Amino acid sequence: MPSPWLALLRRRRLSLMFLASLLVLLPIGCAKLEQTERELVFRIEPGTARWFSGLPAGVEDVQLQSPALAADESLHAWWWLAPRKDAPALLYLHGSRWNLTGQLFRIEQLHAMGFSVLAVDYRGFGQSRGPLPSERSVYQDALIAWEHLARLQPDASKRFIYGHSLGGAVAVNLAHELADDKQSPQAAGLIVESSFTNLGDVATAVSNTSLPVRWLLSQEFDSLSKIGAVGVPVLIAHGRDDRYVPARFSEALFDAAREPKQLLLIDGANHNNSLRMAANSYRQALQTLGLELN
């Protein structure tokens, strides 16, 4: 029979082998978990949205250039100039799942309000080539698009950031980055529609669980900690009948934002149709913030 010290040595050896295996497998497991998380967060639908019937006259296809893009990456956008020469310009940042072809109805509504609109597909969406998006990559894409918008509209008092749903978190982050970096082209206002406080909060709400879901998340999209420092007037809009993202998250964002700010809660509106149902209220809210469209 083996002596006690030999048995102890063998147990230690097995423990060390088990620990070594964990150290090798854990990064692989974490990488797979993060990839799965990003797939669930962005839920990219390939191809053209079934309700897309073509671009309106005047919409220009644009390929945005940046040293930050790799040789096999590209950033595709639409630029839709408003009829008025001195019209305000708006960067449109969409949410998860649908590329620009699924966003046209909302872009049309913003254009009808008087904005020139630059709408961008993040890398991995639509005609924008690239790997599976991440929080970091969509933030970078938004900044590239913003710098392009600043060249199209040199007047900082006429540049706006708009984000819908997950794009609202991208918009808040962009405004926050611009406030920190005075060398970057600045914005006149921020519009956030149907968005949330952070990804952990909305994941908990959607899954309807008390489990600590946020502990598993590598993508934070934490608008709540940033919106108080964006440094520009803020309009936050949300449909009261939103079944996907509860309107209470927009109320929390509004509470955390600094003045001047406006909260627009739209009765009967869902996650997608706030602009259509409340275009006049949008205009009035922007005017209250001192942001004129006409």
Side-chain angles (χ1 to χ4, degrees):
M1 293 182 66
S3 62
W5 68 267
L6 187 57
L8 179 61
L9 183 62
R10 285 178 176 172
R11 285 198 298 271
R12 285 183 176 176
R13 183 180 172 190
L14 287 172
S15 297
L16 288 171
M17 289 175 63
F18 179 70
L19 180 59
S21 298
L22 279 179
L23 291 173
V24 171
L25 293 174
L26 186 58
I28 298 174
C30 288
K32 180 60 179 174
L33 180 63
E34 181 182 343
Q35 178 178 339
T36 302
E37 176 194 347
R38 286 159 58 191
E39 288 172 351
L40 291 171
V41 168
F42 293 102
R43 297 180 299 133
I44 299 175
E45 290 280 352
T48 301
R50 63 185 179 276
W51 55 87
F52 179 72
S53 58
L55 286 175
V59 179
E60 178 186 351
D61 274 304
V62 180
Q63 292 294 333
L64 307 184
Q65 306 297 321
S66 171
L69 299 176
D72 59 346
E73 295 177 336
S74 66
L75 209 54
H76 171 251
W78 290 339
W79 170 238
W80 196 358
L81 194 63
R84 277 183 47 223
K85 263 190 171 183
D86 60 344
L90 176 145
L91 175 61
Y92 180 96
L93 299 166
H94 66 69
S96 61
R97 193 174 182 184
W98 301 109
N99 59 45
L100 288 181
T101 62
Q103 308 288 327
L104 182 57
F105 67 98
R106 199 176 292 109
I107 295 168
E108 287 176 322
Q109 290 154 7
L110 288 163
H111 186 262
M113 287 176 64
F115 288 107
S116 292
V117 180
L118 179 69
V120 64
D121 259 334
Y122 316 116
R123 279 169 285 180
F125 279 85
Q127 296 181 42
S128 293
R129 292 181 293 114
L132 180 67
S134 67
E135 180 178 13
R136 181 175 178 273
S137 75
V138 296
Y139 288 168
Q140 188 178 50
D141 294 344
L143 183 57
I144 293 171
W146 180 254
E147 290 170 347
H148 185 83
L149 183 75
R151 292 190 288 272
L152 294 168
Q153 174 50 275
D155 187 347
S157 69
K158 294 184 176 182
R159 290 196 296 259
F160 292 77
I161 306 168
Y162 170 95
H164 176 264
S165 194
L166 184 69
V170 183
V172 170
N173 182 78
L174 176 59
H176 184 263
E177 286 186 357
L178 297 179
D180 282 346
D181 182 6
K182 300 303 181 184
Q183 302 304 312
S184 295
Q186 298 300 299
L190 170 67
I191 305 171
V192 179
E193 183 182 333
S194 304
S195 198
F196 49 81
T197 48
N198 56 63
L199 194 60
D201 285 346
V202 77
T204 300
V206 169
S207 58
N208 193 27
T209 180
S210 59
L211 295 174
V213 177
R214 68 183 69 247
W215 291 0
L216 300 174
L217 299 177
S218 63
Q219 314 292 290
E220 296 181 348
F221 289 101
D222 186 3
S223 296
L224 190 62
S225 69
K226 301 171 186 173
I227 198 165
V230 299
V232 295
V234 178
L235 169 59
I236 299 175
H238 212 120
R240 291 187 184 272
D241 291 351
D242 190 331
R243 296 185 295 113
Y244 300 106
V245 180
R248 69 175 183 273
F249 291 140
S250 280
E251 294 181 273
L253 285 177
F254 176 77
D255 290 342
R258 293 189 305 189
E259 297 285 356
K261 59 184 179 179
Q262 285 285 303
L263 177 64
L264 183 59
L265 297 177
I266 301 113
D267 291 329
N270 58 33
H271 189 65
N272 291 308
N273 66 359
S274 293
L275 261 176
R276 180 175 61 80
M277 292 193 66
N280 288 335
S281 298
Y282 259 84
R283 287 177 176 276
Q284 292 169 7
L286 289 170
Q287 289 170 357
T288 300
L289 289 170
L291 305 171
E292 298 291 336
L293 297 181
N294 298 321

